[in-house]
Amino acid sequence: MALLARLIMLAAIALGTGAARAPAFVRDSVHQVPTTIGWVEIASAAQHADQLTIIGHVYATAPSAGRYTLVVARVGRGGTTNTQQAGTFSVQAGENKKLSTTSINLGKAEALKIELKLFSEGKEIFSVVMQPMLAKGQQDI
């Protein structure tokens, strides 16, 4: 498995309200559109070909605050390794912030699953999961 030099997963962003404390979603006539989104950036380390740096980000179209979790699971011959980081965030309208950074070694026979979740007022408002496509009959990580 070749390591990715740089991968950025972005979610679609729609305009929110200008309120001082915006809701997690803005409702138009048909849809609920998130005002706060997250994404995961993956970069290979320059000095270590088998090491990845994983960075969680948050962006908001209106002022937003809450908490996040970033979970990284690696499965290989030696079993499963889980790394979880959590914390709080506060962003202004149009602001993008790094939430958390972690590094992990990934061998050729190992699989990786990354999950970033954002919460506001006790409710999950956004999540993104990155994992390899599963073959028929293969179990999720």
Side-chain angles (χ1 to χ4, degrees):
M1 173 192 320
L3 294 177
L4 301 174
R6 191 139 178 105
L7 170 67
I8 299 177
M9 177 179 278
L10 296 172
I13 303 171
L15 293 176
T17 66
R21 182 157 177 85
F25 293 92
V26 174
R27 192 167 221 10
D28 66 15
S29 60
V30 180
H31 304 93
Q32 283 191 338
V33 181
T35 59
T36 306
I37 65 154
W39 74 93
V40 174
E41 175 183 356
I42 302 173
S44 60
Q47 298 88 359
H48 305 285
D50 62 344
Q51 188 176 57
L52 296 177
T53 299
I54 300 163
I55 306 167
H57 294 266
V58 64
Y59 174 84
T61 58
S64 182
R67 63 183 183 86
Y68 71 88
T69 60
L70 178 65
V71 178
V72 178
R74 181 184 66 195
V75 177
R77 291 183 203 135
T80 302
T81 302
N82 286 306
T83 302
Q84 180 171 337
Q85 296 183 350
T88 60
F89 68 88
S90 179
V91 288
Q92 297 302 313
E95 186 178 12
N96 154 20
K97 273 190 180 174
K98 284 184 184 179
L99 296 171
S100 179
T101 302
T102 188
S103 294
I104 191 166
N105 291 326
L106 187 66
K108 293 179 182 183
E110 296 176 320
L112 189 63
K113 179 178 180 178
I114 304 166
E115 183 175 66
L116 174 64
K117 290 185 177 186
L118 304 177
F119 302 87
S120 181
E121 297 178 1
K123 296 179 184 174
E124 183 178 322
I125 59 170
F126 189 88
S127 67
V128 61
V129 177
M130 299 176 70
Q131 69 181 23
M133 297 297 292
L134 300 175
K136 187 174 182 176
Q138 189 177 17
Q139 290 187 346
D140 191 6
I141 296 175

